Amino acid sequence: MQILLTNEWKNALKSELEKEYFLNLKEFLNDEYSKHIIYPPESLVFNALNMCRPQDCKVVILGQDPYHGPGQAHGLSFSVNDGVKFPPSLRNIFKELRSDLNVDVPFSGNLEKWAKQGVLLLNATLTVRAGQAGSHQKKGWEIFTDSTIEELGKKYSGIAFVLWGSYASKKESLIDQEKHLVIKSAHPSPLSAHRGFFDSKPFSKVNSYLISQGREPIEW
């Protein structure tokens, strides 16, 4: 599998890309892509990183797994391709955005607009087998994405980390909260959104923080 990363990220993560676990992960993925339908397509595995340079990153929204249905995943957490029906979590994200900032629900669930403004939409696991949620967990991706979070946290300051749900909240230990903001709440899934995601106002909190850091707020 080719590592289709921008030079900025290749340089930032050079040591990770050379470690034994990552070489083993590449072998695993070569086999998976040759034998099964894997999402997202190989060309989009690193889409979240490639759309948000490390030096431009203002916000990290951490997801767990890519969507595993046809045509959904395109390498950005919670985001779907144009024309794809909103998954339930994304529908709830847009509901909270409307409640928080009075932003109309968009026609498309494609969140590239956010990514281009410095929002890193990073899944902890960057690939999945079609129809099999969690099938690529514990193969090495989590080590890689944890290292990505740590690299950002150490090298830069003033980033807002948005951690939705118990899985993402465990990543709090990777982040220096003297240098960055951590926003935690329940997950936007219908199973948990009413237990603390709705009315958590993450979007206005992020923008208030960015302004306090002298940075441009996100146009959500």
Side-chain angles (χ1 to χ4, degrees):
M1 178 181 150
Q2 282 186 291
I3 305 305
L4 301 172
L5 273 171
T6 60
N7 288 334
E8 291 97 338
W9 280 111
K10 275 185 180 175
N11 291 334
L13 299 170
K14 187 174 186 295
S15 63
E16 291 302 308
L17 299 174
E18 295 170 351
K19 287 180 179 176
E20 185 176 2
Y21 86 85
F22 194 83
L23 301 178
N24 292 338
L25 174 61
K26 281 174 64 179
E27 283 188 27
F28 167 75
L29 291 170
N30 283 334
D31 189 58
E32 286 286 288
Y33 273 100
S34 69
K35 294 178 180 176
H36 306 280
I37 297 171
I38 304 300
Y39 299 129
E42 268 191 78
S43 62
L44 296 177
V45 168
F46 297 100
N47 200 23
L49 296 171
N50 291 336
M51 293 197 74
C52 179
R53 300 187 307 170
Q55 63 267 39
D56 296 334
C57 183
K58 299 176 181 178
V59 186
V60 178
I61 298 180
L62 189 69
Q64 188 166 356
D65 242 20
Y67 296 121
H68 53 83
Q72 291 180 308
H74 65 130
L76 306 178
S77 64
F78 297 103
S79 178
V80 291
N81 281 302
D82 292 327
V84 174
K85 182 181 176 183
F86 298 172
S89 291
L90 182 59
R91 193 178 310 121
N92 284 339
I93 288 168
F94 288 148
K95 280 184 185 176
E96 177 59 19
L97 178 57
R98 183 165 190 172
S99 169
D100 186 5
L101 292 175
N102 200 30
V103 172
D104 288 338
V105 174
F107 292 108
S108 173
N110 188 327
L111 303 179
E112 287 183 3
K113 172 190 169 185
W114 296 3
K116 289 173 181 175
Q117 295 178 75
V119 181
L120 178 60
L121 294 158
L122 184 68
N123 279 314
T125 303
L126 299 189
T127 53
V128 68
R129 198 184 287 184
Q132 297 183 39
S135 49
H136 285 185
Q137 290 178 5
K138 298 181 181 176
K139 303 295 184 183
W141 275 132
E142 294 92 339
I143 303 171
F144 176 78
T145 52
D146 280 1
S147 298
T148 302
I149 292 167
E150 289 185 301
E151 174 67 19
L152 275 174
K154 288 174 184 173
K155 195 166 184 181
Y156 303 98
S157 61
I159 297 172
F161 289 85
V162 180
L163 310 179
W164 288 328
S166 59
Y167 181 87
S169 292
K170 291 173 185 172
K171 307 296 182 180
E172 183 178 15
S173 62
L174 303 172
I175 302 158
D176 182 349
Q177 294 187 52
E178 291 186 5
K179 292 174 62 181
H180 306 283
L181 175 69
V182 171
I183 296 172
K184 293 193 300 179
S185 76
H187 194 276
S189 158
L191 298 172
S192 56
H194 290 280
R195 297 203 299 267
F197 175 73
F198 288 136
D199 206 34
S200 62
K201 303 190 182 305
F203 307 102
S204 58
K205 286 176 182 175
V206 165
N207 278 353
S208 293
Y209 177 70
L210 293 176
I211 291 167
S212 78
Q213 299 294 305
R215 310 185 80 181
E216 283 289 318
I218 305 300
E219 187 183 323
W220 301 103

